[in-house]
């Protein structure tokens, strides 16, 4: 199990493999972001996207799926997150894209009020199959400290 004490500032990791499908793009957009360029090839062709593109919120959800899968394999003593900062959608995500993640720990600190936990911030990049960065954000993770007994 990885605890707060095991987190190293500057540590980098790469993980994930998420194949974006047309059906999923349309299904997500239909329910959560029903803008025409997420639902229709014809409507998307008339925009700067040029073709059907995934919602940025869908890109976040796909990224979260990869993050959770990575947490399961890395056996981290995670306690959730109070949020993210500086979310940016840099390039469109299209059906047929394959996404992956790269992350770097940029700082960590013990909790002032809860000695059983600490927090760390990581710079997250989501890239497509051509190594183009499509989304970035800074994540804030809460993590348990190593038990003393």
């Amino acid at each position: 199990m990885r605890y707060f004490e095991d987190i190293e500032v500057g540590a980098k990791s790469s993980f994930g493999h998420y194949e974006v499908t047309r059906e999923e793009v349309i299904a997500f957009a239909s329910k959560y972001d029903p803008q025409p360029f997420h639902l229709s090839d014809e409507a998307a062709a008339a925009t700067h996207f040029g073709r059907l593109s995934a919602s940025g919120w869908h890109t976040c959800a796909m990224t979260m799926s990869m993050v959770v899968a990575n947490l399961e394999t890395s056996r981290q003593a995670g306690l959730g997150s109070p949020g993210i900062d500086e979310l940016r959608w840099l390039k469109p995500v299209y059906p047929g894209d394959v996404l992956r993640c790269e992350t770097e720990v940029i700082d960590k600190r013990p909790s002032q009020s809860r000695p059983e936990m600490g927090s760390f911030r990581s710079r997250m990049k989501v890239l497509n199959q051509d190594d183009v960065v499509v989304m970035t954000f800074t994540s804030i993770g809460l993590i348990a400290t190593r038990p003393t007994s």
Side-chain angles (χ1 to χ4, degrees):
M1 185 66 67
R2 290 182 60 224
Y3 294 96
F4 175 78
E5 294 81 2
D6 302 316
I7 301 293
E8 294 183 27
V9 174
K12 296 179 180 181
S13 65
S14 299
F15 59 88
H17 180 93
Y18 197 104
E19 296 181 20
V20 183
T21 68
R22 174 183 172 75
E23 296 76 23
E24 188 176 16
V25 167
I26 292 170
F28 185 96
S30 295
K31 188 166 184 177
Y32 300 109
D33 191 357
Q35 298 182 76
F37 45 84
H38 298 317
L39 298 169
S40 158
D41 292 311
E42 296 76 25
T47 71
H48 66 282
F49 294 113
R51 59 189 168 119
L52 188 74
S53 64
S55 165
W57 298 113
H58 186 194
T59 304
C60 289
M62 292 183 279
T63 300
M64 191 66 205
S65 177
M66 291 185 283
V67 167
V68 170
N70 183 59
L71 289 174
E72 289 173 356
T73 60
S74 67
R75 296 189 29 103
Q76 184 169 295
L79 299 172
S81 172
I84 63 171
D85 292 327
E86 303 169 8
L87 171 64
R88 298 288 181 266
W89 296 304
L90 303 173
K91 297 287 183 183
V93 171
Y94 298 110
D97 282 352
V98 178
L99 304 179
R100 65 182 182 83
C101 301
E102 291 182 356
T103 187
E104 179 181 2
V105 177
I106 55 177
D107 66 39
K108 75 177 207 176
R109 62 187 177 105
S111 172
Q112 297 297 314
S113 60
R114 310 263 319 259
E116 73 278 7
M117 70 170 60
S119 66
F120 65 99
R121 291 186 323 128
S122 298
R123 187 173 298 117
M124 174 72 76
K125 289 192 244 180
V126 180
L127 302 94
N128 67 17
Q129 68 283 349
D130 298 319
D131 291 330
V132 173
V133 179
V134 299
M135 184 175 75
T136 62
F137 60 89
T138 301
S139 68
I140 307 161
L142 302 176
I143 187 168
T145 55
R146 188 176 314 286
T148 56
S149 54

